[in-house]
Amino acid sequence: FQYPHQIEMNIPGKVSVSELKKAAMEEETLEMFEEPEVIPYIPAFLREERTGSATERGTAYHRVLECMNLSEIRHSNQVKERMEELVMQGKMTEIAADAVNSYDIYQFCKSDLCIRMLEAEKAGSLCKEQPFVIARPACEISEEYTGNKEVLIQGIIDAYFEEGDELVVLDYKTDYVKSSEELIGRYKKQLELYAEALEQTTGKKVKERVIYSFCLGKEIPV
């Protein structure tokens, strides 16, 4: 006897956004984290072999952006000083601080996107590292699943802020890429999930989905 719904029994009750991304990019990931092409302004200490993995480097950037007061930054040297303070306060490790290119953070602070974020922060409408859970049909999670059994997807939104009566959702990326299209292809679905989760929980419309690429040094509408 073979149970006719064996596949449905294997459907997980909850998955993370990272797991979905990893499954969708399994082949690409092998190339994505190979020895990166050298980019002129990225010094040797930012190479992935120093921090152990690209994931750890990405986590380090996220930690800096979560904890640092970006409105105070006027020079890349100030970023180094603030990171040293975070290390002394036990908010990040020395290895994590070494993985962050201070100029990357400074360049972000000068961007129009950061200026908009800081204006929202003054108005009390900026949220960072916001966890969320959203239910989606199993058939939308993976091609191997059939039916509409609900699966919970959990994740953390890097940042979002309110402008007028609408929201802007932001995701930071440290991937080594050559074009905006690469990041859009990899993360469009992820940003769509973030937007959907925010609209459900806040009742407000998400008017913009934005990736900020530290590799390219620019914001990318998705």
Side-chain angles (χ1 to χ4, degrees):
F1 174 75
Q2 291 186 343
Y3 182 60
H5 304 291
Q6 185 63 44
I7 294 179
E8 283 79 358
M9 290 183 65
N10 296 327
I11 296 175
K14 180 187 291 186
V15 296
S16 69
V17 170
S18 298
E19 289 170 337
L20 293 179
K21 178 187 70 176
K22 183 177 180 181
M25 296 171 54
E26 187 173 0
E27 293 183 1
E28 183 180 4
T29 303
L30 297 177
E31 302 175 359
M32 178 179 168
F33 297 132
E34 288 179 357
E35 188 74 18
E37 179 181 354
V38 177
I39 299 174
Y41 72 81
I42 298 181
F45 69 81
L46 274 182
R47 301 286 290 278
E48 292 173 1
E49 57 265 30
R50 172 61 186 270
T51 60
S53 74
T55 300
E56 292 175 7
R57 187 171 67 89
T59 300
Y61 272 70
H62 281 74
R63 187 60 174 164
V64 169
L65 293 165
E66 178 188 5
C67 298
M68 188 174 293
N69 185 348
L70 302 179
S71 64
E72 298 178 350
I73 303 303
R74 299 291 182 272
H75 194 276
S76 60
N77 286 337
Q78 289 179 298
V79 177
K80 294 180 181 179
E81 294 170 0
R82 299 298 183 272
M83 285 195 294
E84 290 173 0
E85 293 174 3
L86 292 177
V87 172
M88 292 180 62
Q89 295 167 1
K91 294 183 177 180
M92 67 186 306
T93 66
E94 290 186 13
I95 293 177
D98 286 345
V100 178
N101 182 344
S102 58
Y103 185 79
D104 285 350
I105 304 299
Y106 169 64
Q107 189 174 29
F108 173 70
C109 291
K110 296 194 302 178
S111 69
D112 292 338
L113 179 61
C114 185
I115 292 172
R116 292 168 64 190
M117 286 177 59
L118 294 176
E119 287 298 319
E121 188 173 36
K122 290 179 183 178
S125 60
L126 171 65
C127 292
K128 299 180 181 179
E129 300 297 319
Q130 179 66 43
F132 75 92
V133 176
I134 188 172
R136 303 299 299 158
C139 59
E140 295 184 14
I141 302 302
S142 173
E143 293 181 355
E144 66 178 298
Y145 302 140
T146 58
N148 294 317
K149 175 183 175 181
E150 285 195 342
V151 177
L152 297 180
I153 302 173
Q154 62 182 6
I156 298 179
I157 299 172
D158 291 342
Y160 75 89
F161 55 93
E162 187 174 339
E163 282 186 339
D165 295 325
E166 298 177 312
L167 302 177
V168 178
V169 60
L170 166 64
D171 201 45
Y172 308 118
K173 296 301 179 188
T174 57
D175 304 37
Y176 287 108
V177 293
K178 296 180 180 179
S179 69
S180 302
E181 288 71 26
E182 288 183 67
L183 289 175
I184 294 173
R186 292 175 187 176
Y187 298 110
K188 181 179 179 180
K189 183 61 178 179
Q190 182 177 336
L191 270 291
E192 288 175 349
L193 284 172
Y194 290 172
E196 184 178 348
L198 283 175
E199 290 181 345
Q200 287 186 9
T201 56
T202 66
K204 296 180 181 293
K205 179 182 178 182
V206 173
K207 67 174 183 176
E208 292 180 52
R209 303 186 301 265
V210 183
I211 290 174
Y212 185 85
S213 168
F214 286 99
C215 173
L216 302 176
K218 66 178 183 178
E219 60 186 88
I220 304 167
V222 178

